[in-house]
Amino acid sequence: MDRKTIGTPGLEISSLGLGCWGFSDAYGKAERAESIAVIHEALNAGINFFDTADVYGAGGNEVLLGEALKGRRQHAIIATKFGFRGNEHGELEVCGRPNYVKQACDASLRRLRVEHIDLYFQHRVDKDVPIEDTAGAMAELVQAGKVRHIGLSEASAETIARAHAVHPMTAVQSEYSLVTRGIEESVLPTCRRLGIGLVAFSPLGRGLLGSQVRRKDDLAPDDYRKNLPRFDEQNLARNLALLEPLENIARTHDATPAQIALAWVLQQGGDIVPIAGTRTRKHLRENLAATKIVLTPEELAVAGQLAGQVQGERHNDRNLRFLDS
Ligand SMILES: NC(=O)c1ccc[n+]([C@@H]2O[C@H](COP(=O)([O-])OP(=O)(O)OC[C@H]3O[C@@H](n4cnc5c(N)ncnc54)[C@H](OP(=O)(O)O)[C@@H]3O)[C@@H](O)[C@H]2O)c1
């Protein structure tokens, strides 16, 4: 597995990372033993970059990752995130207050059972707290040795630049795939100008590009995508019909559409690391094989036209309000 160095000072990580959210509560039921087997096989194949968050599985995702990495900690780069927490009404809210940042970090260290976090992200920007205050608290965690690198997730270009002025941001984590290319407008150029890496989340469009979900009814009742506009019955049918050019490219490479989608992200630059999420070793192997696919400029251009045609917002109304724009 190739490595990429992101940010300044650099953090060296595998060119493909493993997103761990699906092991908890994202896209249907996950088997614990298989989840751990996926993490072990990823490590054996040279993936060293694992992405989790304190909110995934209400902390359970960090516990699972910590358990899977027991005895192999030195081979892993752990990214986790803080920022979402439950309020007194049982709803999620965003908190970026300095004291909370420090408490959240200690709690993540305990759950992961590690001495330090390699890359600590603010999951969403708290619009009520100046980013300088939150970034300042994150920088203190670096000085205290609890965290090695810091970054922001789903932040605007302006917020990224302000945070970077407080302490170097090693990476920004944003959604980036064939169906979600909004960051190309200002977030990605800002990251490139400032020497910040991009961790591309949901590189398979939350499974849309894997074509496994054919109807909304295929989704389990607790599947997160039940509430996503792109998976509404009508939008889903239209979006699946858009995948034909991708399927044609896939046939030429004796590959699957998901592999082509991942290859496309991998070819967008040496500063971009996709974190594909999967609960199975079968899909992990396919995603690993995608790192070897080289798309021609024509194929990149044809596949790249998908984003402009996809139907439905990438977030539902509730989660759109958490965005920093
Ligand atoms: N910062 C943020 O706000 C944020 C938001 C969302 C996600 N993330 C991070 O990004 C990671 C990845 O994103 P994601 O999981 O949302 O979406 P994703 O990686 O785009 O897609 C995951 C979906 O694709 C399916 N899949 C995986 N490999 C496949 C293959 N080879 N062929 C067909 N289908 C395949 C998975 O099903 P199976 O499980 O059955 O393989 C799952 O349903 C997450 O795990 C999380 O760590 C961060």
Side-chain angles (χ1 to χ4, degrees), residues 18-224:
L18 181 68
C20 296
W21 186 25
F23 299 143
S24 291
D25 48 8
Y27 307 134
K29 193 171 158 35
E31 300 295 337
R32 192 175 178 84
E34 178 65 9
S35 301
I36 290 177
V38 170
I39 295 169
H40 288 169
E41 187 158 327
L43 273 169
N44 293 343
I47 289 182
N48 74 346
F49 186 50
F50 299 87
D51 183 75
T52 178
D54 58 4
V55 72
Y56 298 167
N61 200 270
E62 290 182 328
V63 171
L64 178 117
L65 182 60
E67 191 182 314
L69 294 179
K70 207 168 161 200
R72 304 181 74 172
R73 169 67 179 106
Q74 70 277 24
H75 302 299
I77 301 289
I78 299 176
T80 191
K81 320 181 198 77
F82 72 90
F84 281 122
R85 65 175 186 182
N87 65 17
E88 67 272 27
H89 309 295
E91 295 157 351
L92 275 189
E93 65 175 18
V94 172
C95 182
R97 292 198 196 98
N99 278 348
Y100 175 72
V101 176
K102 292 175 185 171
Q103 281 168 24
C105 177
D106 286 340
S108 285
L109 288 169
R110 273 196 302 276
R111 282 189 293 265
L112 286 159
R113 281 173 284 172
V114 296
E115 299 291 318
H116 68 266
I117 292 161
D118 298 295
L119 177 52
Y120 200 35
F121 285 108
Q122 182 182 28
H123 211 151
R124 290 291 181 278
V125 174
D126 184 342
K127 293 170 196 161
D128 296 328
V129 177
I131 192 63
E132 287 77 7
D133 294 359
T134 306
M138 294 170 81
E140 284 177 30
L141 292 173
V142 176
Q143 279 134 28
K146 295 182 179 188
V147 163
R148 284 176 59 213
H149 296 262
I150 59 175
L152 304 179
S153 173
E154 293 267 55
S156 68
E158 189 206 329
T159 304
I160 293 164
R162 283 171 55 196
H164 192 69
V166 175
H167 185 95
M169 296 287 125
T170 295
V172 162
Q173 184 171 146
S174 292
E175 184 167 354
Y176 192 48
S177 72
L178 277 175
V179 286
T180 303
R181 297 180 60 180
I183 59 162
E184 289 174 5
E185 202 176 303
S186 58
V187 168
L188 191 53
T190 298
C191 287
R192 288 188 162 151
R193 179 171 60 80
L194 299 173
I196 301 171
L198 181 85
V199 172
F201 79 71
S202 303
L204 301 172
R206 301 182 189 261
L208 184 64
L209 294 159
S211 321
Q212 282 195 306
V213 182
R214 306 306 303 178
R215 297 175 48 85
K216 194 172 181 182
D217 286 350
D218 293 344
L219 301 172
D222 58 350
D223 192 308
Y224 182 80

Side-chain angles (χ1 to χ4, degrees), residues 252-263:
T252 335
H253 288 268
D254 198 15
T256 67
Q259 288 176 309
I260 301 302
L262 202 49

